[in-house]
Amino acid sequence: MQGEDARYLKSIRLKSLNANTDITSLARKVVEECKLIHPSKLNEVEQLLYYLQNRRDSLSGKEKKEKSSKPKDPPPFEGMEIDEVANINDMDEYIELLYEDIPDKVRGSALILQLARNPDNLEELLLNETALGALARVLREDWKQSVELATNIIYIFFCFSSFSQFHGLITHYKIGALCMNIIDHELKRHELWQEELSKKKKADILLEWLDEDPENQTLRKDYEKTFKKYQGLVVKQEQLLRVALYLLLNLAEDTRTELKMRNKSIVHMLVKALDRDNFELLILVVSFLKKLSIFMENKNDMVEMDIVEKLVKMIPCEHEDLLNITLRLLLNLSFDTGLRNKMVQVGLLPKLTALLGNENYKQIAMCVLYHISMDDRFKSMFAYTDCIPQLMKMLFECSDERIDLELISFCINLAANKRNVQLICEGNGLKMLMKRALKFKDPLLMKMIRNISQHDGPTKNLFIDYVGDLAAQISNDEEEEFVIECLGTLANLTIPDLDWELVLKEYKLVPYLKDKLKPGAAEDDLVLEVVIMIGTVSMDDSCAALLAKSGIIPALIELLNAQQEDDEFVCQIIYVFYQMVFHQATRDVIIKETQAPAYLIDLMHDKNNEIRKVCDNTLDIIAEYDEEWAKKIQSEKFRWHNSQWLEMVESRQMDESEQYLYGDDRIEPYIHEGDILERPDLFYNSDGLIASEGAISPDFFNDYHLQNGDVVGQHPFPSSLGMDGFGQSVGILGRPATAYGFRPDDPYYYGFGPR
């Protein structure tokens, strides 16, 4: 007859039960060997075994997932188990033992712990306030006298902490705060032990160089004895630390409790504990740190304690669970730029790359590497590892239509570096990527290809073979995201030998491009790529003429009006105008048939540096070929420069007039009686004519050209190409990558000094 008393229950442990077990045979064996089960119950036993087998299978998947996130419960510690079997009915006897000497207290706490480890007893123990009060009192008073006693009592409360509904009980007896004090004390004790051991070790090393004599032998034996004692103390201490930290980890479910722990320097204690060698303790410590690392304040504490240097020794390591949880902690920390720098400095990059070949750690290692690859200064470092060949292998072996997001994102980042791209394109790399991207219409893979296409050099010329394939994707029938990436890739192909006119005609791209420029015809991302594409093909004079005849320029001006607040649009549209005035065939269309020059004059003093640069270069070319616009441009430059100059002079005057108020006669007035424009020093400097930033009148500019035999608007274009309106060299303008002057392949210069 089954009762609630554990004495009347018989447990049968089925160690051999697994997914392949023959349930019928096992049930028969159980009935035969257990005399308490009547043979008539065979069917019921078989049913129970079937249930246990299925439950085991269903739980195995969950166990695998939770394996890395939650450490195992601590087992009964070595040296603390007792031969007696505890009985819940004898609790009064165990409580009395807590009032005796230390050995009796250890025995009593061990018996209560034996009961507490069975979850069925916790509710009954909870009702026994006398027992809980006595345990809390003994822990508070005697924890320094016996590590075993402290471990047993904390373990009892740990059993309660495994269930959220009992956390109030632990808070009531202030066990959490007490555990914090115990952990802090034990860590300091460990430091003292290490210091003492270190001194004796140094003495032992010195003795090795001396002659063998009885006194030296005694000292050596003393060191060996001390070392053995130290090892024994560390084992017991780590058992105590493990159960105390696990209790705190359970209590930290409540973020308010976690904040209290943080205020008591829990992070510093945990990072100190990373110096231990006990795998089970380290798993617990790293799990706790991982939980804490999601809050910035805790992460900053970890930075102060140089946590990355301590974690690097664990990668790689033989213990799977420890390696897994350490990688997850590093992933949390890798969201911080400074910590990513530290990871690279301590040599984690090749170690993480080596883990890409291990199926168990591939995903998490890739996520950490992805974060590192976000920093441009570290992208080139991947070229010196075997990372890129491994990633290419993963890409080509992926059987799904869509590649894993982490993998393709990582590849996109790496493709922004020129050296990496050379490795990616080795062999048939680009051919395989293009084949897969076009087959599955994968926009992210095409984004990677687009990044590859932006780098000048041999890799860009490889794209000549795929211009037709890419142009064929530019249509309304394809997915917009994919078309955007294809357009962006084509727009990057600034290859002199490429016949863009043939491409535009063969694939009928001009109507498509013109249609997308209409306001509201497409999303802004697609329209911007269309504008950039027009800028690229306009480098070819025959293409520029073709586009001008199609009426694209008025459409661009209309788009410029609609997007005048968007610097990116403005910059790229102006660059199209620059390309158009660059070619003789389209120059007259821009200058005489549109209002583009007027828009350019308005944008001459835009706050964006890239827009000003493209604008100035375009206006300088216009000024070379149209006398009327040249005068307007010069007048505007004159007005702008002098308004700035006068404003500066007036402000200087105000400053100096304030000095006169205080009777300072020594300072000469900045402006004399005459007009400031008659001052010769405003027009000349030690090198001759002042640069274009100076305030020069249009008449002076014309006189200067006439004196030098030039007639504005009549000299041939090539002879003056690359000169601004004031005779200063400006160089041939390259296509702006963005409105912010950033090209992905630009070199980066960073200081690596102490932060």
Side-chain angles (χ1 to χ4, degrees), residues 87-300:
N87 189 324
I88 194 74
N89 297 321
D90 297 332
M91 269 299 296
D92 292 341
E93 293 178 24
Y94 307 153
I95 294 169
E96 286 176 14
L97 291 172
L98 297 177
Y99 292 90
E100 302 298 332
D101 295 333
I102 295 297
D104 289 330
K105 288 178 179 177
V106 172
R107 177 170 163 262
S109 61
L111 288 163
I112 296 173
L113 172 59
Q114 199 180 112
L115 295 171
R117 292 189 70 228
N118 182 352
D120 296 337
N121 294 327
L122 289 179
E123 288 194 26
E124 191 164 340
L125 288 172
L126 181 67
L127 300 174
N128 196 330
E129 293 183 11
T130 308
L132 296 174
L135 288 166
R137 176 188 59 77
V138 171
L139 180 62
R140 194 173 297 108
E141 294 174 358
D142 298 329
W143 65 267
K144 287 185 181 178
Q145 297 183 41
S146 170
V147 175
E148 292 89 345
L149 179 62
T151 305
N152 282 344
I153 297 176
I154 293 174
Y155 202 149
I156 292 166
F157 284 105
F158 160 74
C159 294
F160 283 102
S161 74
S162 300
F163 301 93
S164 301
Q165 60 265 41
F166 297 140
H167 285 187
L169 161 76
I170 299 165
T171 305
H172 174 72
Y173 289 108
K174 299 182 179 176
I175 302 299
L178 190 52
C179 282
M180 294 281 290
N181 294 336
I182 292 170
I183 292 167
D184 187 38
H185 176 79
E186 292 299 330
L187 290 172
K188 288 174 181 174
R189 277 179 72 190
H190 185 256
E191 288 175 5
L192 292 173
W193 294 344
Q194 285 187 315
E195 284 178 20
E196 184 183 346
L197 191 66
S198 178
K199 288 175 185 175
K200 294 197 176 184
K201 187 175 183 180
K202 286 177 184 175
D204 184 54
I205 292 169
L206 288 171
L207 290 172
E208 289 180 4
W209 298 92
L210 301 173
D211 296 333
E212 294 287 337
D213 60 56
E215 187 178 347
N216 291 345
Q217 289 291 337
T218 306
L219 289 170
R220 184 167 288 112
K221 286 179 181 177
D222 183 43
Y223 167 72
E224 291 172 359
K225 183 181 176 184
T226 305
F227 183 68
K228 284 181 181 177
K229 182 182 176 185
Y230 166 77
Q231 286 181 314
L233 290 170
V234 165
V235 168
K236 289 186 177 181
Q237 189 187 63
E238 287 178 346
Q239 291 171 347
L240 173 60
L241 288 174
R242 189 176 164 204
V243 74
L245 286 170
Y246 210 152
L247 182 143
L248 293 175
L249 177 58
N250 286 343
L251 294 180
E253 287 178 6
D254 186 342
T255 51
R256 292 169 298 178
T257 306
E258 185 181 302
L259 181 59
K260 291 178 184 177
M261 293 181 195
R262 191 250 166 188
N263 293 336
K264 285 181 174 284
S265 303
I266 186 67
V267 175
H268 290 76
M269 295 179 194
L270 289 166
V271 176
K272 275 185 184 178
L274 287 174
D275 295 327
R276 305 295 180 121
D277 298 320
N278 184 304
F279 282 129
E280 296 298 337
L281 177 61
L282 286 172
I283 289 170
L284 182 60
V285 169
V286 177
S287 299
F288 207 156
L289 285 167
K290 173 181 160 288
K291 182 183 187 307
L292 294 170
S293 65
I294 62 174
F295 292 102
M296 187 176 290
E297 297 83 359
N298 297 331
K299 183 262 300 176
N300 292 339

Side-chain angles (χ1 to χ4, degrees), residues 340-372:
R340 288 201 295 270
N341 298 348
K342 188 68 73 176
M343 288 176 196
V344 175
Q345 288 172 19
V346 299
L348 263 177
L349 195 60
K351 290 186 172 188
L352 291 168
T353 300
L355 292 174
L356 290 176
N358 189 315
E359 201 61 37
N360 294 330
Y361 314 115
K362 180 177 73 175
Q363 199 74 4
I364 193 76
M366 192 182 296
C367 290
V368 180
L369 288 169
Y370 164 75
H371 280 168
I372 293 173

Side-chain angles (χ1 to χ4, degrees), residues 6-157:
R7 289 177 296 177
Y8 306 119
L9 292 177
K10 172 68 175 175
S11 296
I12 302 172
R13 304 200 178 278
L14 304 168
K15 295 180 181 178
S16 62
L17 182 63
N18 56 49
N20 301 319
T21 302
D22 183 351
I23 296 298
T24 306
S25 302
L26 182 60
R28 198 177 297 114
K29 186 178 179 183
V30 169
V31 172
E32 286 173 4
E33 293 189 5
C34 184
K35 304 302 180 185
L36 295 174
I37 303 176
H38 194 272
S40 63
K41 301 289 185 182
L42 179 62
N43 289 337
E44 291 181 34
V45 172
E46 191 174 331
Q47 190 65 33
L48 283 170
L49 291 175
Y50 178 75
Y51 164 74
L52 287 171
Q53 186 185 45
N54 288 337
R55 188 185 67 168
R56 192 183 186 88
D57 290 342
S58 64
L59 286 175
S60 62
K62 294 179 182 176
E63 284 169 4
K64 284 177 185 174
K65 288 180 183 177
E66 295 171 4
K67 189 178 181 181
S68 58
S69 60
K70 190 170 183 183
K72 298 172 185 174
D73 284 359
F77 293 123
E78 188 180 346
M80 297 184 188
E81 293 178 316
I82 54 174
D83 297 333
E84 297 178 57
V85 177
N87 189 324
I88 194 74
N89 297 321
D90 297 332
M91 269 299 296
D92 292 341
E93 293 178 24
Y94 307 153
I95 294 169
E96 286 176 14
L97 291 172
L98 297 177
Y99 292 90
E100 302 298 332
D101 295 333
I102 295 297
D104 289 330
K105 288 178 179 177
V106 172
R107 177 170 163 262
S109 61
L111 288 163
I112 296 173
L113 172 59
Q114 199 180 112
L115 295 171
R117 292 189 70 228
N118 182 352
D120 296 337
N121 294 327
L122 289 179
E123 288 194 26
E124 191 164 340
L125 288 172
L126 181 67
L127 300 174
N128 196 330
E129 293 183 11
T130 308
L132 296 174
L135 288 166
R137 176 188 59 77
V138 171
L139 180 62
R140 194 173 297 108
E141 294 174 358
D142 298 329
W143 65 267
K144 287 185 181 178
Q145 297 183 41
S146 170
V147 175
E148 292 89 345
L149 179 62
T151 305
N152 282 344
I153 297 176
I154 293 174
Y155 202 149
I156 292 166
F157 284 105

Side-chain angles (χ1 to χ4, degrees), residues 370-421:
Y370 164 75
H371 280 168
I372 293 173
S373 73
M374 288 164 60
D375 295 321
D376 293 281
R377 69 193 111 164
F378 300 138
K379 283 185 173 76
S380 61
M381 294 184 181
F382 288 91
Y384 303 100
T385 69
D386 64 342
C387 180
I388 291 172
Q390 287 192 69
L391 294 178
M392 294 299 285
K393 187 169 180 270
M394 291 178 204
L395 280 176
F396 299 142
E397 288 179 354
C398 183
S399 56
D400 299 331
E401 282 192 20
R402 290 290 184 261
I403 300 164
D404 289 342
L405 194 59
E406 293 83 2
L407 173 58
I408 191 61
S409 302
F410 187 20
C411 292
I412 288 168
N413 280 0
L414 294 182
N417 177 267
K418 191 170 185 176
R419 177 70 186 118
N420 292 339
V421 163

Side-chain angles (χ1 to χ4, degrees), residues 502-541:
L502 181 64
V503 174
L504 292 180
K505 287 180 177 177
E506 186 173 338
Y507 294 96
K508 300 180 176 59
L509 292 182
V510 175
Y512 177 88
L513 296 175
K514 185 180 177 183
D515 181 60
K516 295 301 176 188
L517 292 177
K518 295 175 184 175
E523 294 292 328
D524 283 356
D525 288 346
L526 179 58
V527 178
L528 180 61
E529 293 305 327
V530 167
V531 173
I532 296 171
M533 177 72 178
I534 292 170
T536 298
V537 300
S538 296
M539 292 179 180
D540 185 326
D541 55 353

